[in-house]
Amino acid sequence: MQSPARVLLIDDHALFRSGLRLVLDASLPDLEVIEASAIDEGFRAAVTAPDLVLLDIQLDGLNGLDGLTLIASRWPGTPVIMLSANHGPEAVRLALSRGAAAFVSKAESADRIVAVVSQALLGGAASAAVDEEATDEARLTPRQCEVLDFLCQGLSNKVIARRMDLSEFTVRGHVQAVLRHLKVTSRSEAAFAARQRGLVG
């Protein structure tokens, strides 16, 4: 049995942390969220490298931008999604230039943040999170097309996971990506949109 993906959430606003954790727990139940209010506290809380770091850009003490280098040296290869209330182009540019895999505004909808987290855990955060227009025009991957086909047949994530020999967590990530690509919010809408566009038979 696969162990749950581990996400380290570093933000000095306890209310935002707990709210985001609730959203992630509800949408991605196989996820283990580790909370910290500062980068050094995050290093102590996550003894081994997490699968993903969600990092606030404005922290007391060492801020998120300066902390990116530290996180990269401690956990090479662990993607970092930068969170910020300021989503101006300069903030995005700075975060990405310092190694962030993606940038998400705190003003985004819960579904959008969950979709970005799912993509990051599947290894596709940069294209999924940064350029909205490029993302919308991007094509589905072959695996996502398979998931869409099964979804249109009315199969559950559990059954799709069994058919494709994947974990349910991975299937959920693909489903989120498919919904975002089709600009819909439910599986039934996705099936309808896919048939309209001729994506499935």
Side-chain angles (χ1 to χ4, degrees), residues 105-143:
S105 166
K106 288 184 176 183
E108 291 281 8
S109 68
D111 284 348
R112 166 81 169 132
I113 294 175
V114 168
V116 173
V117 169
S118 298
Q119 284 296 308
L121 290 168
L122 292 169
S127 62
V130 180
D131 187 342
E132 188 114 17
E133 288 181 17
T135 304
D136 289 340
E137 291 169 5
R139 295 186 178 183
L140 292 173
T141 66
R143 183 139 277 189

Side-chain angles (χ1 to χ4, degrees), residues 68-155:
L68 275 168
T69 310
L70 278 180
I71 291 171
S73 65
R74 187 177 185 107
W75 297 317
T78 296
V80 179
I81 294 177
M82 189 66 79
L83 302 166
S84 177
N86 168 23
H87 54 283
E90 182 61 16
V92 176
R93 188 190 65 75
L94 271 172
L96 297 176
S97 69
R98 297 197 187 187
F103 186 101
V104 184
S105 166
K106 288 184 176 183
E108 291 281 8
S109 68
D111 284 348
R112 166 81 169 132
I113 294 175
V114 168
V116 173
V117 169
S118 298
Q119 284 296 308
L121 290 168
L122 292 169
S127 62
V130 180
D131 187 342
E132 188 114 17
E133 288 181 17
T135 304
D136 289 340
E137 291 169 5
R139 295 186 178 183
L140 292 173
T141 66
R143 183 139 277 189
Q144 287 164 356
C145 288
E146 276 187 84
V147 169
L148 176 59
D149 191 40
F150 285 132
L151 186 151
C152 289
Q153 294 173 39
L155 302 184

Side-chain angles (χ1 to χ4, degrees), residues 33-103:
V33 180
I34 303 162
E35 291 184 49
S37 60
I39 290 169
D40 57 346
E41 185 186 324
F43 286 157
R44 290 194 300 272
V47 183
T48 56
D51 296 293
L52 176 68
V53 176
L54 294 171
L55 179 64
D56 186 21
I57 200 169
Q58 291 168 321
L59 294 167
D60 289 335
L62 185 68
N63 70 39
L65 283 173
D66 294 334
L68 275 168
T69 310
L70 278 180
I71 291 171
S73 65
R74 187 177 185 107
W75 297 317
T78 296
V80 179
I81 294 177
M82 189 66 79
L83 302 166
S84 177
N86 168 23
H87 54 283
E90 182 61 16
V92 176
R93 188 190 65 75
L94 271 172
L96 297 176
S97 69
R98 297 197 187 187
F103 186 101

